[in-house]
Structure formats: C-alpha cells, structure tokens
Amino acid sequence: MNNPKIKIAVIGLGRLGSFHAQNIVNRVDSLELVAVCAAENQLQWAQDNLNVSAVYTDYKKMIDNEALDAVVIASPTALHPEMTIYALNAGLHVFCEKPLGINLSSVDEMISVINSHPHQIFQSGFMRRFDESYQYAKKMVGQGAIGDIIYLRGYGVDPLSGMESFTKFAAAADSGGIFLDMNIHDIDLVRWFSGHEPVRVWALANNIAAPELKDLGEYETGVAQLEMDNGSIATLLGGRHAAHGYQVELEVMGANGWLRIGEHSEKNLVTIFNQEGIVRPAFQDFIERFNHAFILELQDFANNIIKGQQPSITVEDGLKALKIAKACQESVNTGKVVDIKL
C-alpha cells in the first residue's frame, strides 16, 4: 500500500526556493506542493509554473490556513529562526536551508524549539553530502585509502555574472559575511571528511576585484586558515568573482595519498574546438552543479518523515558550521587569530 503524499509548502521563491518548488512538483513523488509563500511579484509565476493555487505573502497565514505536513524554508537567512519556530510549533516538519540563521541568540532559541519537538523532523540543507562525487570520496577516506588526513582545502567561488545580483542583495539584507554566505558548505565538509573540529582560525579578506562592496560592509574574496583539534589544517576560500563560471572544489591530502573533487568546473564531457582554442564548458551556478543532490536531499527529507527518523545531518552540524563561519568573520574584522568555541 502506498503512503499518502506529504503535503508541503515552500516559503521563499528566490533562485533556490523556486528550484526546490519545481523539484517537489516534478521530481519528488512522495511530496505534494499545496502552497507557497513569496513576494507579491513572484506569486503569478508560482501559479503559472507550479500548478499551485494557494499563494501567500504572509507565511503565518499560510501555515494557519493550509492543511500541511511540512514546509521548506528558503527565505533570507535572518528569517530562518522565526519561521522554523512558527512551523514547528504548528506541528509541521521543517526543511530549512542553510545557514540556520545569522544571530546566534535567535539560532539558540530555534534549536531549543527544535529539541522540544523530537517527533518532528528538522533537516538542514547541506546538499553536498548527497552529491555522488563527495559520497564516493568520503567512502574512500573512511576506508583509509589515503591514510590519515593532513590537510583539507575547500573552494567556493560564485561566477562573476552574479555580482550585480549579490550587490543588490547585500544593499538590502545582511548576508552574514563572506564565510557564512560562501563557505558554509566547505565548513561542513571539512568537519564531515575529517571527523574533527577546528579550534583556531586566522582569516583575511579583500575587495580588489569588487571595490564597490566595501561601502556595503562586504568582501569579495576571503581566505581562512583553520587549525583542527588533532593538528591537521584546513583552508577555506570564498569568493564572488570567477570569470569562467561557478568554481567549487574540495581537496583532501592524506598521509598516503590525495583526492580532489571538482578540480575543474566542467559541465559535461564536451570539448569545443573553435577560433577561441580548445574550450570545455563550465558550470555557471551552484544549482547546475548540484542539480541531482538537491533532489536527493528532498527525497531524504520525505523518507525521514515517512519513517519517523531524524536525519543524519543534525541541527548540531548546522550550529557548529555557523559558529565556525562567524569566527572566520571575526578574525577578518579584528585582524587577529580567533579561538573557536563550539
């Protein structure tokens, strides 16, 4: 006997929220999109493209009025805690995009409410853990294929084409800083691959490629050096200025070998030979690169609801990633080495 579909709503229809909504409608059979909440100018798109008639600009009214089982929160980061708290208190399961939030006191309150609802599923959107390449590499590391980890390096650099959009966003909202906005996934992967926690960080940042961000209190490029609790080292690089497209990679150096995921941002196996030389098309954004992983994480969320089991990615993972990112930002702001207190 088939389980009835999980009735779900999406809050936020920006680039990622709209992609989640389309995945629910077209690619995750166990979920049924019954409502969305978004800005007024996005509601017609939702009705036209998602086949959903229940559209709202007030998430509380949506949760109160609709017969929902769960909600996907893809709103601006600062709103994640209040929306999660309201949804959980209304009896819903919650999938919340990373980061958990920006303000630690709000996140602490959010976590307290999550822990007070142990029979509801809360899942955070660290989708790279669902990517086949990262899973394969993690399995190799776990099997000891490269020996004890000595060093990790994570890159996350957005395409130059997104700079105008980010500048508008930064002028209107708090991104949380370069490391929270750009390296939260890399931070999670460093912890996931190494099995260790960072204890100290020294970070630097600049706006050489985008001086216009200085007046907004933002950085274009940031680099953080992390000391782990076992003496290993990790480097994070976040940026917004890759001319060729979206550059994301993870390198893990072991005592007996190395592995590298995504060294080249290659879209497919096509090579073009023309007047520009020998060209390999590149991924242009994170959705294109992690398309399948986004589907798998929503399928995992649905399966966890059906089975009544908490996800392998815990709220503690989200909290630690947030604290590490904020420590990196503090190091940039103060120019000092910062101890990381998890």
Side-chain angles (χ1 to χ4, degrees):
M1 183 176 179
N2 293 331
N3 289 311
K5 288 194 174 187
I6 297 162
K7 296 184 183 300
I8 195 166
V10 174
I11 303 175
L13 288 178
R15 182 169 53 163
L16 185 49
S18 61
F19 185 64
H20 280 316
Q22 290 175 89
N23 281 337
I24 291 168
V25 171
N26 299 312
R27 302 176 187 93
V28 185
D29 291 339
S30 51
L31 299 176
E32 178 186 356
L33 184 68
V34 299
V36 297
C37 175
E40 184 74 42
N41 62 359
Q42 297 171 322
L43 299 185
Q44 189 61 54
W45 176 89
Q47 291 175 316
D48 293 343
N49 293 276
L50 302 174
N51 193 29
V52 60
S53 58
V55 295
Y56 294 81
T57 56
D58 184 325
Y59 75 92
K60 292 181 179 179
K61 288 183 179 179
M62 180 183 73
I63 290 172
D64 293 344
N65 293 341
E66 299 296 328
L68 299 172
D69 301 307
V71 64
V72 170
I73 298 175
S75 61
T77 302
L79 299 176
H80 290 178
E82 67 172 74
M83 291 179 170
T84 295
I85 290 169
Y86 196 86
L88 288 170
N89 285 337
L92 304 184
H93 305 288
V94 174
F95 180 94
C96 182
E97 266 306 329
K98 57 10 101 198
L100 294 179
I102 292 177
N103 182 279
L104 278 174
S105 62
S106 296
V107 171
D108 286 342
E109 181 184 1
M110 173 187 186
I111 292 174
S112 177
V113 173
I114 291 169
N115 291 335
S116 72
H117 293 83
H119 301 299
Q120 289 163 241
I121 306 303
F122 175 85
Q123 189 159 331
S124 189
F126 286 115
M127 82 293 181
R128 290 190 199 174
R129 293 199 192 195
F130 294 91
D131 179 77
E132 292 178 355
S133 295
Y134 286 92
Q135 289 184 340
Y136 179 81
K138 179 69 164 61
K139 183 178 180 180
M140 288 186 64
V141 170
Q143 292 173 341
I146 62 171
D148 292 336
I149 293 176
I150 299 169
Y151 174 72
L152 304 98
R153 176 182 61 86
Y155 270 43
V157 188
D158 269 354
L160 174 60
S161 60
M163 179 60 71
E164 182 179 353
S165 175
F166 173 74
T167 302
K168 291 179 181 177
F169 168 76
D174 183 1
S175 73
I178 183 73
F179 298 103
L180 185 64
D181 192 40
M182 292 301 306
N183 290 113
I184 195 76
H185 288 292
D186 303 291
I187 291 168
D188 179 62
L189 292 173
V190 163
R191 295 185 59 252
W192 190 46
F193 270 82
S194 71
H196 291 276
E197 305 288 2
V199 295
R200 195 169 293 109
V201 60
W202 183 49
L204 298 169
N206 67 50
N207 282 316
I208 294 172
E212 65 271 19
L213 293 182
K214 183 176 181 180
D215 292 338
L216 300 175
E218 289 281 354
Y219 290 102
E220 184 279 317
T221 294
V223 178
Q225 196 86 326
L226 302 171
E227 177 187 350
M228 308 298 286
D229 59 17
N230 67 335
S232 60
I233 302 164
T235 299
L236 309 173
L237 184 147
R240 315 183 193 279
H241 220 265
H244 61 283
Y246 177 59
Q247 183 70 37
V248 55
E249 58 185 277
L250 178 72
E251 181 177 79
V252 185
M253 179 191 298
N256 300 327
W258 296 11
L259 60 83
R260 187 176 294 153
I261 309 161
E263 177 181 10
H264 303 297
S265 183
E266 293 176 343
K267 184 173 183 175
N268 49 42
L269 298 178
V270 174
T271 301
I272 302 168
F273 301 84
N274 61 18
Q275 67 274 14
E276 296 179 7
I278 301 173
V279 181
R280 294 296 302 270
F283 291 116
Q284 292 303 303
D285 59 32
F286 65 92
I287 288 177
E288 188 177 26
R289 166 60 180 87
F290 293 106
N291 187 301
H292 191 53
F294 280 115
I295 298 170
L296 292 178
E297 69 173 356
L298 283 179
Q299 290 176 338
D300 184 67
F301 178 56
N303 290 338
N304 290 332
I305 292 173
I306 293 167
K307 295 176 182 178
Q309 66 184 19
Q310 292 298 329
S312 59
I313 303 171
T314 68
V315 69
E316 191 71 15
D317 290 322
L319 178 61
K320 288 183 176 181
L322 173 61
K323 288 182 175 180
I324 294 163
K326 291 182 81 69
C328 293
Q329 193 68 40
E330 181 184 347
S331 180
V332 165
N333 293 342
T334 62
K336 298 178 180 179
V337 174
V338 172
D339 292 332
I340 300 174
K341 299 175 182 178
L342 299 178

